[in-house]
């Protein structure tokens, strides 16, 4: 989770530089190698269990044993039960260990792993689909989608090193990818970026977003973008994973999650838009689906499904 909340709870004696520096806890659960100590770039190994229904399709980095194995002396190795029941694979993800607030996409956040778990648990949702991920960050969730869908368009704002970082992570994990994958820019605050790629995302039916909520202006721009994208054919389903982030405020004299509360308000706003043309369905999905990645799945992680059926 973020070590700094941008929706309230700011301490007066905190310097602007410290306040704007945020760090994810996810890297604590991965095997990490420093790529550049000066820039903070690291390469993390995110192991995950391959669902039984996908075994045989996903085998990059697998540790599952499918044939007899002998050691250096020619003796047969004993296959442990866990190796029979759990086939594992790995994603290699380059990311930053800490960033300023405007570059948080260069880190890995818990919501991306949570959404990745959901996709691995329900792979049929992406079968033969063109999937669009917005605010994709380092591209972890898009990589999971690329194991399951026919086409994936990975997007984020062209700021810092983020788009090149996505390209590098796709290249590192190319053995796992079965979909056609493109990397494009979508800036929530500049819809000309949508115009620029409109033809290439015309047939998108599934949209993914993970941990895109950390200040209200961004939430406004996110929902404006979703309205723009989801009111064009074909019918679209949006899956949003996020983590409620709590702060103590003097106004409430309590610990609250103001960013999440504002997200709920804007989701209600969306479902009231263009009703003559769109039938909106909004539901919170159960979060007790199986966990495939290694991370701390807290009760503050939530998953929402928004479907737009055009009339």
């Amino acid at each position: 989770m973020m070590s700094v909340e941008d929706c309230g709870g700011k301490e007066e004696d905190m310097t602007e530089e410290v306040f704007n520096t945020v760090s994810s806890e996810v890297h604590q659960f991965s095997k990490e190698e420093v790529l550049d100590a000066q820039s903070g770039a690291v390469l993390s190994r995110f192991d995950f269990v391959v669902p039984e229904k996908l075994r045989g399709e996903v085998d990059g980095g697998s540790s599952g044993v499918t044939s007899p194995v002998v050691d250096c002396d020619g003796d047969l190795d004993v296959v442990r039960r866990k190796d029979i029941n759990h086939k594992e694979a790995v994603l290699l993800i380059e990311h930053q260990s800490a960033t300023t607030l405007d570059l948080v996409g260069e880190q890995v956040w818990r919501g991306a792993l949570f959404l990745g778990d959901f996709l691995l648990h329900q792979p049929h949702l992406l079968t033969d689909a063109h999937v669009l991920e917005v605010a994709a960050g380092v591209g972890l969730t898009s990589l999971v989608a690329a194991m399951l869908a026919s086409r994936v368009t990975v997007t984020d704002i062209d700021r810092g090193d983020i788009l090149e970082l996505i390209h590098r992570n796709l290249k590192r994990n190319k053995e796992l990818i079965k979909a056609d994958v493109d990397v494009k820019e979508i800036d929530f605050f500049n819809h000309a970026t949508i115009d620029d790629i409109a033809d290439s995302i015309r047939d998108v039916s599934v949209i993914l977003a993970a941990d895109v909520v950390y200040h209200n202006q961004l939430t406004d721009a996110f929902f404006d973008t979703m309205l723009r994208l989801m009111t064009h054919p074909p019918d679209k389903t949006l899956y949003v994973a996020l983590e409620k982030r709590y702060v103590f405020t003097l106004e409430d004299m309590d610990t609250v999650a103001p960013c999440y509360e504002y997200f709920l308000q804007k989701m209600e706003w969306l479902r009231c838009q263009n009703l003559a043309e769109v039938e909106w369905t909004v539901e919170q999905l159960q979060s007790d689906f199986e966990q495939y990645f290694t991370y701390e799945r807290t009760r503050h992680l939530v998953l929402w499904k928004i479907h737009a059926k055009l009339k």
Side-chain angles (χ1 to χ4, degrees):
M1 61 185 289
M2 289 186 185
S3 61
V4 174
E5 174 64 55
D6 191 43
C7 289
K10 186 190 299 186
E11 296 183 12
E12 292 181 2
D13 61 347
M14 190 179 289
T15 67
E16 183 177 355
E17 181 178 0
V18 172
F19 178 74
N20 284 331
T21 300
V22 293
S23 179
S24 167
E25 293 179 352
V26 167
H27 67 278
Q28 298 174 10
F29 302 96
S30 64
K31 301 167 186 176
E32 192 174 281
E33 172 190 346
V34 176
L35 294 178
D36 186 336
Q38 185 173 1
S39 69
V42 295
L43 181 67
S44 289
R45 173 189 172 103
F46 290 93
D47 297 311
F48 65 98
V49 175
V50 179
E52 186 173 357
K53 48 198 160 189
L54 294 179
R55 294 176 192 177
E57 297 180 33
V58 177
D59 55 12
S62 169
S63 62
V65 178
T66 58
S67 60
V69 177
V70 295
D71 62 20
C72 59
D73 297 320
D75 298 322
L76 184 67
D77 277 347
V78 177
V79 179
R80 293 172 295 171
R81 177 169 295 276
K82 77 179 186 68
D83 291 325
I84 297 174
N85 294 331
H86 296 91
K87 182 175 183 180
E88 293 184 349
V90 59
L91 289 178
L92 294 175
I93 302 293
E94 179 185 344
H95 62 100
Q96 293 287 323
S97 55
T99 65
T100 55
L101 192 60
D102 62 332
L103 294 176
V104 291
E106 294 185 5
Q107 297 186 57
V108 178
W109 298 95
R110 225 185 307 247
L113 295 165
F114 184 55
L115 186 51
D117 278 344
F118 174 74
L119 298 178
L120 289 172
H121 193 67
Q122 301 280 2
H124 65 279
L125 296 175
L126 303 189
T127 302
D128 297 325
H130 183 178
V131 177
L132 169 69
E133 186 178 11
V134 297
V138 298
L140 188 148
T141 305
S142 285
L143 279 164
V144 176
M147 302 176 203
L148 310 170
S150 62
R151 187 177 176 191
V152 176
T153 300
V154 194
T155 68
D156 209 321
I157 186 171
D158 188 6
R159 177 185 296 158
D161 189 39
I162 196 66
L163 298 186
E164 287 303 316
L165 183 55
I166 292 170
H167 277 293
R168 293 196 294 273
N169 283 331
L170 290 170
K171 185 175 181 180
R172 284 188 175 92
N173 298 280
K174 60 183 179 181
E175 293 82 4
L176 289 171
I177 296 173
K178 81 165 196 176
D180 294 328
V181 182
D182 293 316
V183 179
K184 305 287 186 181
E185 182 184 19
I186 287 184
D187 180 351
F188 297 157
F189 293 94
N190 179 9
H191 283 198
T193 57
I194 301 175
D195 297 334
D196 291 341
I197 65 170
D199 289 341
S200 65
I201 61 171
R202 195 175 300 280
D203 62 339
V204 163
S205 59
V206 177
I207 303 176
L208 307 175
D211 266 330
V212 297
V213 174
Y214 51 89
H215 63 73
N216 292 348
Q217 294 84 358
L218 181 59
T219 303
D220 287 337
F222 169 72
F223 277 105
D224 287 343
T225 301
M226 292 305 102
L227 179 62
R228 165 80 184 274
L229 292 172
M230 298 183 74
T231 50
H232 293 282
D235 295 349
K236 292 178 176 61
T237 303
L238 165 66
Y239 296 98
V240 186
L242 59 139
E243 184 171 0
K244 301 178 189 177
R245 294 186 168 90
Y246 287 86
V247 295
F248 180 83
T249 67
L250 294 175
E251 180 181 357
D252 297 288
M253 290 301 292
D254 197 0
T255 302
V256 295
C259 280
Y260 182 65
E261 294 301 323
Y262 192 73
F263 168 83
L264 295 179
Q265 294 174 32
K266 291 300 296 188
M267 192 159 51
E268 186 62 28
W269 169 85
L270 179 67
R271 71 189 301 176
C272 296
Q273 303 304 306
N274 296 22
L275 294 181
E277 304 162 7
V278 184
E279 179 182 336
W280 299 97
T281 304
V282 178
E283 62 176 312
Q284 183 175 355
L285 301 180
Q286 294 293 322
S287 59
D288 57 354
F289 47 85
E290 191 155 350
Q291 181 170 341
Y292 299 95
F293 285 96
T294 301
Y295 64 103
E296 182 184 6
R297 186 187 283 188
T298 74
R299 62 187 175 85
H300 303 312
L301 286 162
V302 294
L303 180 63
W304 286 89
K305 173 185 175 182
I306 302 174
H307 180 69
K309 180 177 177 58
L310 303 183
K311 298 180 180 179

